[in-house]
Amino acid sequence: MTSASSSVPGRRANHLRATPTDELSWRPMQRSVRFAVTVALAATVFYLLFLLNPAYRGNVYVWLIVLLAEGLVVFQALTTWWTILAHSPSPDALEVHTWRRKLAAGELTATVDVFITVYGEPLEIVRGTILAARDMTLQHTVWVLDDGDSDELRDCAAELGVQYLRRDVHDHAKAGNVNAGVRRTTGEFFVILDADHVPSPDFLLRALPHLQDPQVAFVQTPQTFPAARGLVAVGTGEAQRIFYELVMPGKNHFNAVFCVGTNVIFRRTALAEIGGMYTASNSEDIWTSLELHRRGWRSVFVPETLARGLAPDNLLSFFKQQFRWSYGGFEVLLRGGLFRRKGLTLDQRVQYLLTSLHYLLSLSALAFMSVPSLYLLFGLSPIRSDMSNWLAHYAPFYVIIVLVTLIQTGGFKLSSMIVSIGAAPVHLRAFVMAIFGRKAKWSATNAGPGGLPGVGLVLPHVALLLLNAVAVTVGAAALGHRFTNVPASLFAMFWAVLYIALLARIIIEAVSEPRQVKARLERRRVGALLARALPWPERVYDVDDNLDLTVERAAGSPAPVPVSN
């Protein structure tokens, strides 16, 4: 039986903007995309054969750096294409339709706890999430799990008629908070919502029926950010759009969907089997998913906009988020036993590996940002070839890679590229700390109105910018020298100037943020109000009684029922 995704919407929607229709736009891959991928494979092989040819090898150390960086990019690109193309949109299973119709009609009931995890987020934002969670259709109990010990929030919960819990010992960060909530509640299923993620009224009605399959441990829904404004928020939202539109549906095909920490429904008995949310890492979501998959549980991704949230809106919160995510990914890579321990299918092992390797692309980015400077300052080149021969091999590879990416993603924003480059030093730090097993203190991504550090946050970016600026200056001065390879120098200078521009945008953002604290807080307040006020997409619900008969005849048994009735 398949508990896969919903039908494909008729048109693409811009859910980064405040538009009434923000349904995600999963769509089947056209023949043109598959053809482009085939051409890309050929161009990749053509370029790699050139790169590996000893006759064209330049400085061996720089060549090795470039070879590793390019190899990682190629591997990640090919496996991502494979993941995306594996997805084939299909309607919900008939059993899911039956559950949904009977839940809506009140013929079936299930006990559901809804956990809102809080750790210092502004009361006004949390209040909006509480109201939206409280007003969801289907019977449920809302619990505010407050690790910030706020008396104001406690009073707000009482005023709004929801339950409130706080812990005496605040251990294991968010995972410990959720586990404490699980121990003090009894629902057959429980939802986890971040404090700044507003669920739709039909969140439970759309997601809960996928748990009709007793082998499904959790159902994950996307994160969307319709009110994103500014470089960081828009760039983050664009990256998340690509991930949830394209990558997660592919992972669903391989039963490798992992929990992202919010907008998710768990089966209590599944989590009890592994002893609760994973607490040995601050990236509890991916580790919990890994342990459940090892024990044979299934996961489902529902490609519908069922919650709206606030993206990180400043570099400090974005870097904290990226550090936490990348550190968790590197932990899985280094200590997860993906290919040693039993329980996972080969496809699942590969998908978890890809999630971890994704953050290593930042090491490739750092390598690429250093190569022009190595050539302009020291004459060190990874390739020993004339410019025309190198371009004949590299240009088709680069153009096709970009073209396939544009076709698959439907285009991407420059802000997404800028913030990804901005996160590169953060990912490097996380990688080094993961290697040595050093831990970092956890804090909520958008918690609190505190000040921002300014340029001190981006010192590695300043160093890279200065390195490339000096290289461009030296390269320009050497253009008149008779031994200078002018085409190669101009090409290196072009890339160095491009890196300078991208790094400068990050640095400008860091310098300007401390002067925009009030404006940022106001944007967050308005964004939270907007996330709740915008109309939700209209959805067609199942009201045909013949669906039940179809399921019963196909299964030869009564239609599935939940644990409680």
Side-chain angles (χ1 to χ4, degrees):
M1 180 180 64
T2 302
S3 298
S5 56
S6 63
S7 58
V8 182
R11 68 182 181 89
R12 188 179 185 84
N14 182 1
H15 52 275
L16 291 177
R17 300 298 182 190
T19 54
T21 302
D22 62 353
E23 193 68 65
L24 297 182
S25 53
W26 284 263
R27 59 204 183 280
M29 291 296 152
Q30 303 296 326
R31 292 180 181 176
S32 58
V33 179
R34 298 182 184 277
F35 175 75
V37 169
T38 303
V39 175
L41 289 174
T44 299
V45 172
F46 183 60
Y47 172 61
L48 288 181
L49 288 176
F50 170 79
L51 193 61
L52 291 169
N53 191 334
Y56 299 117
R57 186 181 303 165
N59 179 273
V60 65
Y61 298 108
V62 181
W63 175 80
L64 281 173
I65 292 173
V66 171
L67 181 63
L68 290 174
E70 293 282 26
L72 185 59
V73 170
V74 168
F75 177 78
Q76 191 72 19
L78 294 180
T79 50
T80 299
W81 295 342
W82 165 64
T83 300
I84 293 172
L85 291 174
H87 170 60
S88 180
S90 59
D92 290 337
L94 291 176
E95 294 87 349
V96 174
H97 284 286
T98 299
W99 252 51
R100 185 172 294 130
R101 189 195 66 78
K102 290 190 173 183
L103 285 168
E107 298 174 22
L108 299 175
T109 60
T111 56
V112 181
D113 293 311
V114 178
F115 298 150
I116 300 174
T117 57
V118 184
Y119 186 39
E121 290 83 358
L123 179 61
E124 186 174 15
I125 291 177
V126 182
R127 182 184 179 91
T129 302
I130 293 173
L131 286 170
R134 184 197 66 183
D135 295 341
M136 289 189 296
T137 56
L138 300 185
Q139 181 179 348
H140 62 283
T141 304
V142 176
W143 299 84
V144 177
L145 308 183
D146 182 18
D147 255 2
D149 296 341
S150 168
D151 292 339
E152 289 184 344
L153 181 56
R154 179 195 59 198
D155 297 340
C156 176
E159 174 194 343
L160 299 179
V162 302
Q163 304 299 313
Y164 175 89
L165 294 174
R166 66 171 62 169
R167 300 189 285 165
D168 295 328
V169 179
H170 301 287
D171 56 352
H172 304 308
K174 182 179 177 180
N177 196 12
V178 171
N179 286 338
V182 170
R183 287 193 297 268
R184 298 165 73 176
T185 56
T186 58
E188 301 153 290
F189 310 102
F190 63 88
V191 177
I192 301 176
L193 295 172
D194 279 351
D196 56 3
H197 277 68
V198 175
S200 67
D202 60 351
F203 180 96
L204 293 175
L205 192 59
R206 299 304 300 176
L208 183 61
H210 292 273
L211 286 157
Q212 55 79 30
D213 182 350
Q215 296 303 311
V216 173
F218 64 89
V219 175
Q220 180 64 60
T221 71
Q223 297 184 63
T224 56
F225 309 102
R229 295 292 186 275
L231 173 71
V232 176
V234 172
T236 302
E238 177 69 2
Q240 294 300 296
R241 176 190 72 81
I242 293 171
F243 176 71
Y244 288 113
E245 279 196 11
L246 299 171
V247 178
M248 271 296 222
K251 289 183 178 296
N252 195 59
H253 174 81
F254 298 111
N255 187 29
V257 169
F258 58 85
C259 166
V260 300
T262 185
N263 311 342
V264 60
I265 306 182
F266 275 95
R267 186 186 303 275
R268 183 180 293 266
T269 54
L271 202 65
E273 185 176 308
I274 62 171
M277 299 292 288
Y278 193 86
T279 58
S281 169
N282 285 338
S283 297
E284 74 287 336
D285 36 26
I286 191 169
W287 277 99
T288 299
S289 307
L290 179 61
E291 293 303 316
L292 287 168
H293 283 142
R294 278 203 173 108
R295 286 162 175 77
W297 288 95
R298 294 186 58 242
S299 58
V300 171
F301 177 67
V302 177
E304 300 180 38
T305 300
L306 299 178
R308 301 179 182 134
L310 298 179
D313 57 4
N314 61 84
L315 286 174
L316 178 61
S317 61
F318 172 68
F319 287 169
K320 287 195 300 183
Q321 180 196 72
Q322 289 299 303
F323 180 88
R324 188 167 67 251
W325 289 358
S326 59
Y327 188 91
F330 294 141
E331 278 186 318
V332 170
L333 176 67
L334 298 171
R335 300 178 182 87
L338 295 180
F339 294 92
R340 297 194 312 271
R341 295 177 57 185
K342 297 179 179 179
L344 298 178
T345 66
L346 179 59
D347 287 332
Q348 288 174 325
R349 297 177 197 274
V350 172
Q351 289 300 316
Y352 275 105
L353 175 66
L354 297 183
T355 300
S356 302
L357 291 180
H358 166 75
Y359 297 104
L360 281 180
L361 289 175
S362 289
L363 274 65
S364 295
L366 292 172
F368 295 145
M369 283 189 281
S370 302
V371 168
S373 300
L374 291 174
Y375 178 74
L376 294 171
L377 294 175
F378 306 107
L380 301 177
S381 173
I383 297 298
R384 185 175 58 204
S385 170
D386 61 83
M387 192 70 177
S388 59
N389 186 32
W390 180 79
L391 279 177
H393 290 83
Y394 179 75
F397 161 76
Y398 184 80
V399 170
I400 292 296
I401 289 284
V402 173
L403 178 62
V404 172
T405 301
L406 287 172
I407 293 174
Q408 288 190 321
T409 63
F412 55 86
K413 297 179 181 296
L414 179 61
S415 56
S416 178
M417 181 186 302
I418 293 174
V419 297
S420 66
I421 288 177
V426 178
H427 295 163
L428 174 60
R429 175 172 174 259
F431 184 56
V432 173
M433 291 182 68
I435 289 175
F436 293 103
R438 295 179 58 191
K439 300 292 183 181
K441 182 179 175 62
W442 178 89
S443 61
T445 298
N446 273 327
L452 298 173
V455 72
L457 185 65
V458 291
L459 291 180
H461 307 78
V462 173
L464 277 171
L465 185 147
L466 292 176
L467 175 65
N468 280 278
V470 171
V472 169
T473 303
V474 172
L479 287 178
H481 198 284
R482 62 175 181 164
F483 294 112
T484 298
N485 185 333
V486 175
S489 294
L490 289 174
F491 189 77
M493 290 168 64
F494 166 79
W495 281 107
V497 169
L498 177 62
Y499 295 141
I500 289 171
L502 295 173
L503 291 165
R505 182 64 185 89
I506 291 290
I507 296 169
I508 291 171
E509 186 74 13
V511 172
S512 63
E513 281 181 348
R515 300 191 296 269
Q516 300 175 357
V517 173
K518 289 185 178 180
R520 177 177 63 86
L521 294 175
E522 179 63 17
R523 284 199 302 269
R524 286 172 58 189
R525 186 188 70 82
V526 173
L529 293 174
L530 194 62
R532 186 160 184 261
L534 286 174
W536 293 93
E538 294 183 5
R539 287 181 263 263
V540 178
Y541 295 101
D542 315 308
V543 296
D544 190 354
D545 290 337
N546 290 330
L547 281 173
D548 298 332
L549 295 176
T550 303
V551 173
E552 292 171 8
R553 289 168 182 166
S557 60
V561 295
V563 179
S564 66
N565 194 346

